[in-house]
Each structure stands twice: as structure tokens, then as C-alpha cells.
Amino acid sequence: MAEEEGPTVELRQRKKPKSSENKEFAKEEKIKDTPIPERAPKHVLFQRFAKVFIGCLAAVTSGMMYALYLSAYHERKFWFSNRQELEREITFQGDSAIYYSYYKDMLKAPSFERGVYELTHNNRTVSLKTINAVQQMSLYPELIASVLYQATGGIEIIEPVYFYIGIVFGLQGIYVTALFVTSWLMSGTWLAGMLTVAWFVINRVDTTRIEYSIPLRENWALPYFACQVAALTGYLKSNLNTYTERFCYLLMSASTYTFMMMWEYSHYLLFLQAISLFLLDSFSLEQSDKVHEVYKIYVFSLFLGYLLQFENPALLVSPLLSLVAALMLAKYLQLNVKKGTFVAKMIKVINFYLVCTLTVTFNIVMKMFVPHKENGHMLKFLEVKFGLNMTKNFTMNWLLCQESLQAPSQDFFLRLTQSSLLPFYILVLIVCFLSMMQVNFRRINGKSVKETVTLEDGQIGGRPEIIYHVIHTILLGSLAMVIEGLKYLWTPYVCMLAAFGVCSPELWMTLFKWLRLRTVHPILLALILSMAVPTIIGFSLWKEFFPKLMTELSELQEFYDPDTVELMTWIKRQAPVAAVFAGSPQLMGAIKLCTGWMVTSLPLYNDDDLLKRNENIYQIYSKRSAEDIYKILTSYKANYLIVEDAICNEVVCEEGDKLTYSKYGRFCHEVKINYSPYVNYFTRVYWNRSYFVYKINTVISFQS
């Protein structure tokens, strides 16, 4: 009897569990009923290891091959190894020349500490102005490169310029590897990574600016952002083990901070990412804790960056900090209100409105208490760009004329279509977006949604990492449709998302679920298509574009700019060491790099004084009197003026403004004629087919 009573008592206890212990009891029952998984056979473990090993090998190899390709292409394009140092340096144009010039200055400094001090108290670049070049131009890449060059003994092995561009090319290899890994994590197959790399390289005109301007801040920073996105993708995945989750978190923390230090505009891109995570938090409640851990990384990176970037106020007034503060406060309010009450339901309903209101409020308050001037021109530009304001400001109108700041051309979409990237991207985006909306609609209606989505479910939009990438690519794409220069942020992730989709059986299964396919087993067909479609795409890309890539490497191009070489040679031989040169900002950057002489302006657009200088110096190409130009140039202590024929021949006065009807001719044309009053103020001392150099007279002799 005693033996028979045990089960009976247990059954009676199960019938009426206490209401407060329902959830814990259910979990215990689930644990008891779940069979202990058997250890996987050795051949299964070997298959998993082989898959991971081959994938990692393919990812690293892809990155290395792309870096070597860039190096070989750069050598062929500029015939770099056969050039003199001066000819190599003039290949760095505009702001790129400024960045590399400070790398040279660091190598010439007697010590690293002295070099940093001279950069942070720099008064030998711009006349009458002392600047903190490290903060103003984000020169941390140059500081790191100079330290590595000297610490690794590169002085005895490799020339400084090769070491510098080699680091950038290496980072581009890491960029490609990170995109490979992201697509692999999302699709589950490294075949998606291979297709991502193929599309990225084929469309490199629209995925990167590395070919045109190597030292650009984005070329240093975006590889770290790609690593951060890859770590975030892994971190958001469900059913991660503790060690993998911790590794992703640490990698995400390190890459977020490094990205923020490398590029002054990085916090704007992270702001878009934070918006994506906020919307993910709204759609996928299971990942709420992870999302808020990412917010903590943002805050830590912002404040650490603020301290190490010489207390940069732009980080304190950034929209990223305001948004994260609003999100954390909204989360705190939700957690501290009793669930099920009317107030709790109201907070949940107005959560989006609450976050938006708090973000704007925090940002306004921060700007009231934190003095700032950085990037104010960006807001003015966006106002004019979207038609919210009208302006006659020279800088704003000049920026609007830049090709990279205009809407993308039809050629951009045509190139993406010819490589088959755009059609597949649109297909993948539509399927993922509709599936995401379907899952969210079910959740709103109270229907149960599986925490772990299987292939048979056909719900690719239920995975949190997919939701994040869909939202993020829509935000980036919306901006790229307005400003073409932002395509370099969007197109790489177009490659990654399109490759993931066509290689993912879940995407095809989701599509078949909607089509109610019954003639063929849908799972089998999804697996076949996930292998066949990328294989066909890869074969067609190989057949059409691989010969073109090989032709580019085999053709020996020649960078020929003798006029600029002659100009720099004349300055180094004939101009006094203390001379100050005035001209277009782009040319001034090259003069600073190639000669080391002081200039009146720089091709930088994050400083109000430099923007005003650029506007004033550009008056040499307008209809102004010789006396006006003379007063402008002498106010900046300029000794020489350089007029560029290419800019002078451009039509600049197309609208009926007051300059069109000026009684003076265009200064850049009139000064070449050498008659009074121009010869009273300016004396031509050198000229060639592209440049005219005038000495600014210190003593004015008026001639009749």
C-alpha cells in the first residue's frame, strides 16, 4: 500500500498548484519532461568543425585577396613604385593630402609626445590660426599608424607611404571579412559570404571610395563599424551559449568605441543604428535586455570618447546620447509601473511618442548648457537640401553643387541592376519586411509566437537579427536616395542582405508558405534553391565580370600631372620658407603636404572660421575689384596667390544676383591681362598651363 500511495499523492498535488507558482511550476515540468540530449556523434562534430573551419578560411582569404587586389590596382593605376616622392604625394587630393601630411609630421617629430603636442597646438598650417588638429581632423588613425611604423621597425623595411596605405588596404580586407561573417551568421552558410564579397568587389565604384581617396576618415572607420555590425548580428541571435554571447559583446564594445574615435560623424551612423534597435525592441520583446545592453555600450563609448577627444562637445549634444537617455528613461518608467494597470498600458501605447518627445527635450537641454559649434553647418545644409530654408550663403550653395551631395543618378541604379544586385535585394527586402509585419501583427492580436523559429515555420521575419537589418537598411537606403555620397554606407549592406536572402532556405520557405506550394515538398525545394540560385548567380558574375577585373590589373595606367609637379617644385625652390599661399582649399591641401608651406585655408568643413576663409578666398573667381581681393588676402597675411585655370573657366554666375551685373570682370580673368590696377597689387612670378602664381605686393605702386 505504501508503494502505491506515492504516485497518487503526487497526482493530487499536481491538480491544484498555487497561482503564484504557476510559471515556476510550468518551467520545472518542462525541464522534467525534456529528455536529456544525447552527445552528438563524432562524425557530426567533425562536420560542424569542418564547416566552421572552411567558412573562417574562406572569410579570411576573401579579405586578404581583396586587400592584395586593392594594392595591385593602386600600383597599376598610379605606377606608384616608379614615381618620385613628390609625384606620389600629389596623388593624395584635397582633405586626403592634409591627413597624410600630419602622418609625415609625426614621423619627423623627435618623439611621439612632442609630435602630439605640435599637432594639438598647431600654428604652422593655417596663417593667423592655432588649431588642435587631432581633435578637429580626427587624426587618431595617423597617430596610430606613426606609432606602429616606428614600433615595428618599419623604417628599415618599408617606406612610410607604403606602410600607411598598406594599413588602409588591410582595413578594407577586414571590412570585406566582416561583411562575409555577417551574411554567414544570418544565412547559416558561408556561401552567402562568398556572394557578398563578389557583389561588393564588382560594385566597388558604389561600395567604397578607397580608389579615389585612400586616407578618408570613412576608409579608416567603416571596417570597425562592419565588425560592430557582425558582432551585433551574432549577439542578437537566439539560443546563444554564454561564451559566444560574451565574445560578441566584447567585440561589439571594442569596435563601437574604436569606430567613434576614427570618424567625427560616426555618432550619426550609430544614431541610425540606435533607432533600428529601438524599433526592434518594439517588435521583438524577447531581445529587450540585449538591446538595452547595447545602449549602455553607446553611453560608455560616448563619454570615453568625450574625454579622450579633448572634451569634444559634439558628442554631448549628439542625437545619439539624447536618444539613448530617452530610451533608458522610458524603460525605467515601464519597469517601475505595476503591470496590468491602466498607467502601464498607457505607457506601453505611447512609448514611441514618449521616446521621441524625451529625445528632443534632452537634446535641446544639452545644447542650452553645453557650448558647441561643431557640425552646425550640417543642419543648415539639410534644411536647405530638403527645402525647409532658403539661403544665399556661399558655403551652403557650394555644397549643394557637389555631386556627392546630390540625389543619386540613374547610372547608379543601372550599375546595381546590371550586376543583378538590386533585383535580388528588392526581393529579399520585400519578403523579410512582409514576414516581419506578419509576425508583429500576430503578436499584437495575442497569437502565440515561437521563441525559436524553425525552417518549417517559414517565418524569417521572426528572427531579431533579421528585423534589425531590415530596419537598418531601410533607414540607410532612405538617406542614400537623397544624398548620393551616403550610398557608400548603404550599398555594402545591400550586398550582404541580398546574399543572405538568396542563400537562406528560410527565405524561400517563407515565400512558399505564402504561395501554399504543395506540388513539391517545400522544405526540399527551399534547400535546393538556396544552393542553386547563388551558384547560378556566382557563375554568371564570374563569367561576365572576372575578365574585367583581370583586365584592370593587367593594364598599366599612368597618372600624369606635370603641371602640379612643376608648381610644387617651383614653390620648394623659389618661395621663401615663411611664405603663405592662398588659393582653392583643395590645392592648399596639396601644398601643405608636398611643400610644408603655410596656407590660408584648408578643405575642411567643420569649423566656422575655416568655412568663412574658404568663402573669402573663393572671391578670386568672382566679379570683385583688385582692391577688394587685395584686402581679403592681406587680412590673412598671404604672400602668394595661386589661380587655377580649370576653376576660372567654370561658369559660376548663372543666377541673376548682384555679382552678375557687377561693373568688374571676373578677377581670375582680369588679373592675367596685367594692366592697372591689377599690376599695382599683384605681380605674376610663375605660370604654366594650369596655374598662375602672383606675388602679393607689400608696397603698392599705382600706375596710370
Side-chain angles (χ1 to χ4, degrees):
M1 290 293 293
E3 292 179 0
E4 294 177 0
E5 287 177 2
T8 308
V9 173
E10 186 178 352
L11 288 173
R12 288 173 183 171
Q13 289 176 350
R14 287 182 184 178
K15 287 179 182 179
K16 296 181 181 180
K18 294 180 181 180
S19 58
S20 61
E21 298 177 356
N22 277 342
K23 293 183 180 179
E24 294 181 5
F25 186 81
K27 288 181 180 178
E28 291 178 3
E29 285 296 301
K30 187 176 181 180
I31 293 172
K32 289 179 181 179
D33 295 339
T34 303
I36 300 175
E38 297 181 4
R39 191 171 181 178
K42 290 184 177 180
H43 70 277
V44 175
L45 293 175
F46 178 78
Q47 288 178 355
R48 293 176 182 172
F49 174 78
K51 180 182 178 181
V52 173
F53 177 78
I54 294 174
C56 292
L57 183 63
V60 174
T61 302
S62 298
M64 292 178 63
M65 293 296 291
Y66 180 62
L68 292 174
Y69 168 79
L70 288 177
S71 179
Y73 181 77
H74 181 262
E75 171 65 26
R76 288 288 181 176
K77 183 177 180 180
F78 296 109
W79 207 15
F80 210 67
S81 60
N82 294 284
R83 297 286 181 182
Q84 298 296 323
E85 183 179 5
L86 178 59
E87 293 176 313
R88 291 175 181 174
E89 290 178 347
I90 63 173
T91 62
F92 296 101
Q93 302 287 324
D95 50 351
S96 296
I98 295 296
Y99 298 131
Y100 182 70
S101 71
Y102 286 122
Y103 167 72
K104 284 179 57 180
D105 291 345
M106 282 297 299
L107 295 182
K108 293 176 183 176
S111 65
F112 177 76
E113 293 78 9
R114 183 62 187 175
V116 173
Y117 179 83
E118 290 178 354
L119 290 185
T120 54
H121 302 78
N122 188 281
N123 58 3
R124 296 188 298 177
T125 299
V126 183
S127 61
L128 302 178
K129 188 175 178 66
T130 299
I131 60 176
N132 184 341
V134 178
Q135 177 187 355
Q136 196 160 339
M137 304 177 197
S138 300
L139 295 181
Y140 292 95
E142 283 66 36
L143 298 182
I144 296 172
S146 62
V147 169
L148 291 176
Y149 182 69
Q150 294 173 333
T152 57
I155 301 174
E156 302 175 356
I157 303 172
I158 188 172
E159 296 179 54
V161 64
Y162 280 109
F163 187 83
Y164 184 85
I165 64 176
I167 293 178
V168 183
F169 290 155
L171 286 174
Q172 298 308 301
I174 294 175
Y175 192 0
V176 164
T177 300
L179 292 173
F180 183 111
V181 172
T182 305
S183 187
W184 180 13
L185 287 172
M186 293 171 66
S187 64
T189 171
W190 51 263
L191 188 62
M194 297 292 290
L195 187 56
T196 300
V197 175
W199 266 327
F200 182 92
V201 176
I202 289 169
N203 295 282
R204 71 185 187 284
V205 176
D206 301 304
T207 56
T208 177
R209 281 195 282 202
I210 188 69
E211 294 180 14
Y212 311 107
S213 193
I214 293 174
L216 280 181
R217 301 300 84 178
E218 63 189 61
N219 292 334
W220 285 89
L222 290 180
Y224 294 102
F225 182 67
C227 292
Q228 191 255 17
V229 171
L232 178 60
T233 303
Y235 185 69
L236 292 175
K237 288 177 71 71
S238 304
N239 300 326
L240 279 183
N241 62 59
T242 306
Y243 297 106
T244 305
E245 185 175 312
R246 190 174 301 170
F247 172 77
C248 291
Y249 183 83
L250 293 175
L251 177 59
M252 186 167 43
S253 302
S255 53
T256 301
Y257 172 70
T258 308
F259 173 58
M260 194 170 292
M261 294 294 291
M262 291 290 173
W263 196 20
E264 62 179 318
Y265 299 121
S266 57
H267 56 91
Y268 292 109
L269 188 53
L270 292 174
F271 172 67
L272 293 179
Q273 187 183 72
I275 294 176
S276 305
L277 291 173
F278 165 57
L279 295 176
L280 165 65
D281 191 14
S282 303
F283 290 144
S284 180
L285 302 178
E286 293 83 6
Q287 300 296 323
S288 181
D289 293 337
K290 288 186 177 181
V291 168
H292 283 268
E293 287 299 320
V294 180
Y295 295 157
K296 294 177 184 177
I297 293 176
Y298 291 151
V299 174
F300 174 77
S301 299
L302 280 168
F303 281 107
L304 189 59
Y306 169 76
L307 295 175
L308 295 182
Q309 289 183 6
F310 308 93
E311 299 183 357
N312 184 6
L315 297 181
L316 292 184
V317 299
S318 69
L320 174 63
L321 183 59
S322 301
L323 175 62
V324 171
L327 290 168
M328 288 185 167
L329 181 57
K331 180 72 172 180
Y332 176 80
L333 293 175
Q334 287 183 356
L335 292 177
N336 285 271
V337 175
K338 190 175 181 181
K339 294 182 179 180
T341 63
F342 177 76
V343 177
K345 293 179 180 179
M346 285 300 297
I347 290 179
K348 191 173 183 180
V349 170
I350 65 172
N351 184 52
F352 186 82
Y353 174 78
L354 180 66
V355 169
C356 293
T357 306
L358 289 174
T359 300
V360 175
T361 304
F362 287 155
N363 197 250
I364 293 174
V365 171
M366 290 298 292
K367 288 182 177 179
M368 289 173 58
F369 290 98
V370 179
H372 66 287
K373 293 182 180 178
E374 287 79 358
N375 302 329
H377 64 285
M378 285 188 59
L379 296 177
K380 295 178 183 177
F381 167 76
L382 292 175
E383 288 178 0
V384 177
K385 177 71 177 178
F386 293 110
L388 302 176
N389 194 4
M390 298 293 291
T391 181
K392 290 186 177 181
N393 181 274
F394 170 83
T395 303
M396 292 300 105
N397 290 319
W398 182 80
L399 289 173
L400 286 172
C401 293
Q402 301 303 303
E403 183 178 351
S404 61
L405 296 177
Q406 296 178 4
S409 62
Q410 292 183 354
D411 293 339
F412 167 60
F413 300 103
L414 183 61
R415 287 192 298 269
L416 297 187
T417 303
Q418 287 176 340
S419 63
S420 72
L421 173 60
L422 190 59
F424 283 107
Y425 167 74
I426 293 174
L427 170 66
V428 172
L429 183 63
I430 290 175
V431 173
C432 291
F433 181 78
L434 292 179
S435 178
M436 183 181 77
M437 290 294 101
Q438 183 183 38
V439 172
N440 190 50
F441 184 74
R442 289 179 179 176
R443 182 179 285 112
I444 293 174
N445 288 341
K447 295 181 180 179
S448 59
V449 179
K450 289 185 177 181
E451 292 184 5
T452 304
V453 181
T454 61
L455 179 59
E456 295 180 1
D457 297 327
Q459 295 181 359
I460 195 168
R463 292 167 52 187
E465 68 272 22
I466 305 300
I467 297 174
Y468 157 71
H469 278 288
V470 168
I471 299 171
H472 198 190
T473 190
I474 290 175
L475 292 177
L476 289 176
S478 301
L479 293 176
M481 295 304 103
V482 179
I483 300 175
E484 185 174 13
L486 295 179
K487 69 181 181 181
Y488 300 106
L489 303 177
W490 178 61
T491 316
Y493 295 96
V494 170
C495 300
M496 181 271 298
L497 198 69
F500 136 75
V502 298
C503 296
S504 174
E506 288 181 68
L507 182 128
W508 297 109
M509 190 64 193
T510 302
L511 190 60
F512 295 154
K513 279 279 186 179
W514 294 342
L515 298 176
R516 300 183 183 276
L517 184 67
R518 295 178 180 177
T519 54
V520 183
H521 198 285
I523 296 180
L524 179 61
L525 185 58
L527 292 171
I528 293 174
L529 287 179
S530 66
M531 294 291 290
V533 173
T535 302
I536 294 172
I537 295 173
F539 180 76
S540 62
L541 293 178
W542 177 278
K543 185 177 180 181
E544 182 176 356
F545 293 98
F546 184 74
K548 296 179 181 178
L549 296 177
M550 292 297 101
T551 302
E552 290 177 349
L553 293 181
S554 60
E555 289 181 352
L556 182 61
Q557 304 177 44
E558 186 174 1
F559 180 76
Y560 189 66
D561 191 2
D563 293 342
T564 305
V565 173
E566 291 173 6
L567 173 65
M568 301 302 169
T569 304
W570 181 87
I571 293 174
K572 296 174 74 172
R573 292 178 180 176
Q574 302 296 328
V577 177
V580 178
F581 284 82
S584 70
Q586 289 73 23
L587 181 60
M588 294 302 99
I591 289 177
K592 170 64 177 70
L593 168 60
C594 298
T595 69
W597 265 245
M598 195 175 290
V599 295
T600 57
S601 60
L602 291 174
L604 299 171
Y605 311 104
N606 58 356
D607 182 88
D608 290 338
D609 181 61
L610 288 177
L611 288 172
K612 188 64 178 177
R613 284 178 179 237
N614 292 342
E615 180 179 350
N616 290 336
I617 298 300
Y618 260 116
Q619 299 305 309
I620 64 177
Y621 299 107
S622 67
K623 295 182 177 182
R624 299 287 292 271
S625 68
E627 183 180 2
D628 289 344
I629 300 298
Y630 181 82
K631 288 180 180 179
I632 291 173
L633 297 176
T634 52
S635 68
Y636 297 124
K637 301 296 182 182
N639 305 113
Y640 291 89
L641 168 65
I642 303 178
V643 176
E644 296 175 64
D645 218 31
I647 300 178
C648 191
N649 292 331
E650 292 178 353
V651 179
V652 295
C653 298
E654 295 180 347
E655 298 183 7
D657 55 36
K658 61 181 180 180
L659 294 180
T660 306
Y661 305 104
S662 173
K663 64 180 181 179
Y664 302 105
R666 291 186 67 190
F667 173 83
C668 60
H669 284 311
E670 300 295 322
V671 74
K672 296 178 185 177
I673 304 176
N674 281 337
Y675 67 82
S676 183
Y678 296 93
V679 294
N680 301 332
Y681 297 100
F682 307 97
T683 302
R684 187 163 65 190
V685 293
Y686 173 81
W687 71 93
N688 58 30
R689 292 175 301 177
S690 303
Y691 305 101
F692 293 81
V693 183
Y694 297 89
K695 189 178 188 303
I696 302 171
N697 299 332
T698 54
V699 178
I700 305 173
S701 59
F702 289 94
Q703 304 174 12
S704 58

